Amino acid sequence: MESLPADGSRLPGWYKVSRKERIARIAERLGLAVEEVAAAVEGGGLSPDDADRMVEDVLGTYGLPFAVAPNFQINGRDVLVPMVIEEPSVVAAAANAARMVRDGGGFRVHTDPPHMVCQVQVFARDREAATARILAAKADLLARAAGVDPVLARLGGGPVDLEVRAIDGGPEGDGFLVVHLVVDVRDAMGANTVNTMGEAIAPVLEGLAGAPTGLRILSNLADRRKVRVEATVPLQSLRMEGFEAAQVRDGIVSASRFAELDPYRAATHNKGILNGTDAVILATGNDWRAVEAGAHAYAALGGRYRPLCTWRRQGDDLAGSLEMPMAVGIVGGATRVHPGARLALRIMEARSAADLASVAASAGMANNLAALKALATEGIQKGHMRLHARSRSLER
Ligand code: MEV
């Protein structure tokens, strides 16, 4: 293997070196002891006693492969991408696709502000009058919610808006109101914070509406906290044995259109995106069910299930575009408790929740590109299994 640069993510031959060697290289790069890195990734990283404190009725822990994919460049920064996943070939495919995107300048990512919504259901009879009273008290309600989390306020976050939606129908057919409290949760995923704020304002809403409240819980359709990724793959980077580069490009565009036209295909297309995204989310101890729920709800938002990532021809090259909600955090929950999660955040050098969202979404796009390329050419079994077999045979 060529010498590992101190900060680059191009690691030629990374898949050829032994697992111990990879641990040593990561430790060297992060300035950590080899034993420290090994302890965080071997045996699942988490001690049974820590697991016992994390959730209930624990017997022990459950291990999954912890890998690091090279080649990613995101907004001009070289990034090593930690991935936790049980499926063979996903990591190799991500690395492969990241290299193609790198040839076109890397992933270009934009993240929305970290705004999460807490829903409070209000069973108001006179919905119009209740809406007017709630909106008139907006400043008080925001202040009441802000008081719940002074630390968040000191960090520049806190409630930023409050909206009221009328929902028709319901058990008695007369509908209800839903108050959306919008909160800037900074670098947290934010579930606990917004749920606590929702519960804090519920009694005030009951007074204003003269009616009981119902559910008080965040919405996992985090469509105010989206991440957008753009990428360009130069034509020559699509060249592969037995296929013209233009044939590969057009095949990927055609596969994208298939997903845009058919929800049955879109579901599988999005599953391929989530192969990469979930692996990063899981590696960092984040709530991957929340990301999945947001992704699928967003994909179906227009009334028809759509692909989260699409591909088009741009001149001679291939251009990809991905958009999805990404409610993730780098503080709170398991992110700071699980040694493997802490290491994953250090490896990718995530300094904010937005950094983590950018990496997770880029990994999703990479896996989508790799899957479509294989599907449009030699077929997934041959294509992906070849990648997996290559790293297996050479490592021993
Ligand atoms: C397999 O885990 C994912 C794929 O099915 C994705 C796709 O079909 O686009 C290969």
Side-chain angles (χ1 to χ4, degrees), residues 116 189 218 220-222 286-296 325 327:
M116 297 291 288
M189 186 276 185
L218 92 163
N220 284 122
L221 174 48
N286 268 270
D287 181 345
W288 76 93
R289 287 89 56 212
V291 172
E292 287 267 344
H296 296 300

Side-chain angles (χ1 to χ4, degrees), residues 11-357:
L11 312 179
W14 180 239
Y15 67 93
K16 290 187 202 168
V17 300
S18 70
R19 188 180 65 75
K20 294 276 182 212
E21 179 67 13
R22 285 188 209 115
I23 289 181
R25 299 290 180 112
I26 292 290
E28 186 189 348
R29 186 183 176 105
L30 299 181
L32 295 173
V34 169
E35 299 71 34
E36 204 180 330
V37 175
V41 292
E42 292 183 338
L46 191 67
S47 76
D49 286 342
D50 282 343
D52 203 18
R53 280 186 284 273
M54 259 170 98
V55 305
E56 310 72 39
D57 305 344
V58 166
L59 299 186
T61 58
Y62 180 103
L64 282 171
F66 182 118
V68 170
N71 299 336
F72 279 79
Q73 192 171 66
I74 302 173
N75 290 343
R77 187 170 75 86
D78 270 31
V79 183
L80 291 181
V81 176
M83 301 178 86
V84 167
I85 188 151
E86 90 298 342
E87 186 174 330
S89 84
V90 167
V91 178
N96 221 268
R99 199 170 136 191
M100 292 188 273
V101 170
R102 188 186 185 90
D103 293 341
F107 299 91
R108 304 181 296 276
V109 187
H110 171 84
T111 49
D112 287 341
H115 289 178
M116 297 291 288
V117 165
C118 183
Q119 297 194 291
V120 184
Q121 187 185 23
V122 185
F123 294 107
R125 291 211 167 273
D126 184 344
R127 293 192 287 169
E128 249 175 63
T131 300
R133 282 197 298 273
I134 291 169
L135 289 177
K138 189 195 260 195
D140 286 350
L141 287 160
L142 293 181
R144 163 83 62 131
V148 164
D149 197 336
V151 177
L152 183 61
R154 275 204 299 281
L155 294 171
V160 292
D161 202 5
L162 182 140
E163 297 159 0
V164 186
R165 295 170 56 221
I167 305 282
D168 293 326
E172 269 96 55
D174 50 358
F176 48 85
L177 295 178
V178 184
V179 173
H180 278 194
L181 177 67
V182 185
V183 184
D184 182 326
V185 296
R186 300 281 86 197
D187 286 323
M189 186 276 185
N192 285 332
T193 305
V194 304
N195 291 344
T196 311
M197 288 182 179
E199 289 181 4
I201 64 167
V204 187
L205 292 172
E206 290 187 355
L208 290 165
T213 52
L215 306 190
R216 292 139 291 157
I217 187 77
L218 92 163
S219 170
N220 284 122
L221 174 48
D223 61 352
R224 296 166 201 247
R225 199 181 188 181
K226 291 191 294 293
V227 54
R228 277 172 219 89
V229 187
E230 308 284 335
T232 309
V233 184
L235 182 64
Q236 67 272 17
S237 303
L238 291 166
R239 222 180 286 139
M240 60 188 281
E241 213 185 303
F243 297 89
E244 296 286 329
Q247 206 183 343
V248 179
R249 176 199 61 207
D250 296 345
I252 293 170
V253 171
S254 163
S256 173
R257 288 209 191 276
F258 183 2
E260 289 161 51
L261 295 170
D262 178 16
Y264 283 90
R265 173 58 208 154
T268 323
H269 180 104
N270 286 346
K271 191 275 182 187
I273 295 169
L274 291 162
N275 273 346
T277 300
D278 279 357
V280 174
I281 301 302
L282 203 47
T284 59
N286 268 270
D287 181 345
W288 76 93
R289 287 89 56 212
V291 172
E292 287 267 344
H296 296 300
Y298 187 65
L301 202 53
R304 205 174 69 144
Y305 191 87
R306 294 171 301 109
L308 298 165
C309 183
T310 55
W311 297 90
R312 291 284 181 273
R313 181 177 169 166
Q314 191 175 69
D316 280 342
D317 300 334
L318 177 71
S321 175
L322 174 145
E323 184 172 272
M324 65 189 290
M326 194 64 77
V328 291
I330 62 161
V331 294
T335 55
R336 292 291 159 99
V337 177
H338 194 298
R342 281 204 307 269
L343 179 70
L345 289 171
R346 281 191 74 163
I347 290 173
M348 70 171 79
E349 297 178 272
R351 295 194 178 84
S352 64
D355 284 349
L356 169 56

